[in-house]
Amino acid sequence: MAAADQVPVGSSFVPKTAAADVLKGISLSGKNIIVTGGYSGIGLETVRALAGAGARVTVPARRADVAAEALAPVAGEIEIAAMDLGDLASVRRFADHYLETGRALNVLINNAGIMATPLARVGKGWESQFGTNHLGHMALAMKLAPALQAAEGARVVALSSTGHVRSDVIWDDPHYNTHPYDKWEAYGQAKSANALFALGVDLLGREVGVRAFSVHPGGIFTPLQRHLSDEEMAALGWKNPDGTIPAAVQAMFKTPEQGASTTVWAATSPKLSGKGGVYCEDCDIAPMATEASQRWEHARPWIASDDKARRLWDMSEKMLADA
């Protein structure tokens, strides 16, 4: 069913639309939104746009002091709270404190993430990209389920990536316990997991008023690349050997404000009413990939499978139950 739903709706926006422009004419007054990683890169621009439209935005942050400094100039009602996605006790404390406020949660945006990191472990020995990008966010969403249901029309937005093209979930060894670690394969797995997580949330939540979407924000230079050297980025074609950015990359890549636009669109667009579980890019639902698709565009089959979404949910639930 999910693959059949990957049909563009004809958004009026273009790939480089700014996030604030997506929200023109939309009032978010009275809406409560959580944005993980909302103090850096596209997360910061997501918060800026949503708060500017009237939402009360909560930003859970591993470095609350850094978040406070980054968000100080941003206008609107913004709260900062401590949370580390790699520490499930921290995730659960944050969620408990939010639930204690009694506020409904209209939108949960799972924006934070790490990319192409050296092999590291979090939680109960989990590979860090899978554990942080996927399992930490899943634990957060599960704990916040009562607040999402209370909103009677909530949305969950999970930041995936064109990186999903690199790898399906490595079902027999997601934590690299038995086979050699490849940081890009691990990132691809985590981004596929993010998309399947959104589909899983939607399959479980649509009957109780919770819909979910995954998002590819586009190519953007942000602190997400902090684990890559200039030499690696040159090898990828993102930079020239002297560290400058090629003209073709400048033309294709987005600014952080433009990179936040698809997230904001998925969180608020009336065009998505009654829809969910789909992978979005460039402010629209992405089509399924064909032989003509470029490697940086469209949804691959493994992120649009209801069966895989259920399988990942069951597997991840067991991991979290043991932690």
Side-chain angles (χ1 to χ4, degrees):
M1 180 177 177
D5 293 335
Q6 288 291 152
V7 179
V9 295
S11 162
S12 60
F13 303 112
V14 298
K16 291 193 174 184
T17 297
D21 290 338
V22 171
L23 290 172
K24 283 183 177 176
I26 295 177
S27 172
L28 298 178
S29 179
K31 303 295 186 183
N32 298 307
I33 300 177
I34 291 175
V35 182
T36 68
Y39 59 101
S40 177
I42 61 174
L44 175 60
E45 297 304 328
T46 299
V47 171
R48 192 190 310 278
L50 295 169
R56 174 163 50 187
V57 184
T58 302
V59 179
R62 184 171 58 87
R63 298 172 297 164
D65 56 337
V66 175
E69 183 177 355
L71 290 164
V74 180
E77 191 173 358
I78 300 168
E79 301 174 344
I80 299 168
M83 190 187 79
D84 180 352
L85 284 166
D87 178 351
L88 290 190
S90 167
V91 171
R92 289 163 177 156
R93 277 195 304 273
F94 166 78
D96 282 338
H97 290 159
Y98 186 89
L99 293 173
E100 287 169 4
T101 69
R103 299 198 301 248
L105 179 57
N106 300 95
V107 183
L108 170 62
I109 298 177
N110 292 342
N111 166 85
I114 55 176
M115 181 179 76
T117 57
L119 179 61
R121 303 285 175 186
V122 297
K124 295 200 70 175
W126 304 326
E127 187 278 317
S128 63
Q129 295 186 78
F130 189 85
T132 301
N133 297 353
H134 168 56
L135 290 171
H137 277 127
M138 180 168 169
L140 177 64
M142 290 174 67
K143 192 72 173 174
L144 290 171
L148 289 164
Q149 292 181 38
E152 298 182 347
R155 293 186 186 183
V156 175
V157 180
L159 270 286
S160 182
S161 165
T162 186
H164 85 269
V165 174
R166 180 67 176 78
S167 178
D168 189 0
V169 173
I170 303 164
W171 298 101
D172 61 342
D173 188 25
H175 300 301
Y176 290 85
N177 292 317
T178 60
H179 76 284
Y181 181 71
D182 180 309
K183 65 183 182 181
W184 285 111
E185 180 185 68
Y187 180 67
Q189 168 183 240
K191 294 294 101 178
S192 288
N194 291 148
L196 287 171
F197 162 77
L199 177 52
V201 169
D202 199 77
L203 290 170
L204 292 169
R206 59 184 60 166
E207 296 302 321
V208 292
V210 180
R211 305 308 300 258
F213 306 88
S214 59
V215 165
H216 167 42
I220 308 120
F221 284 112
T222 72
L224 186 64
Q225 287 95 13
R226 62 187 174 274
H227 294 286
L228 301 178
S229 66
D230 281 346
E231 289 77 14
E232 286 180 285
M233 286 191 274
L236 290 165
W238 297 353
K239 288 188 175 183
N240 293 315
D242 63 0
T244 59
I245 301 172
V249 172
Q250 292 183 43
M252 180 180 294
F253 271 41
K254 302 177 181 181
T255 66
E257 185 184 13
Q258 294 163 349
S261 62
T262 304
T263 298
V264 170
W265 182 79
T268 64
S269 176
K271 283 184 173 287
L272 291 174
S273 295
K275 301 181 184 297
V278 290
Y279 173 83
C280 303
E281 62 186 12
D282 293 336
C283 296
D284 208 337
I285 298 174
M288 290 299 299
T290 67
E291 291 183 358
S293 296
Q294 300 294 329
R295 59 180 175 79
W296 59 79
E297 63 181 1
H298 305 160
R300 268 44 181 190
W302 52 87
I303 67 166
S305 165
D306 291 0
D307 289 342
K308 286 185 182 246
R310 293 187 181 99
R311 182 181 180 185
L312 178 66
W313 192 275
D314 290 344
M315 181 176 82
S316 303
E317 207 169 28
K318 290 183 177 68
M319 294 175 187
L320 293 171
D322 292 337

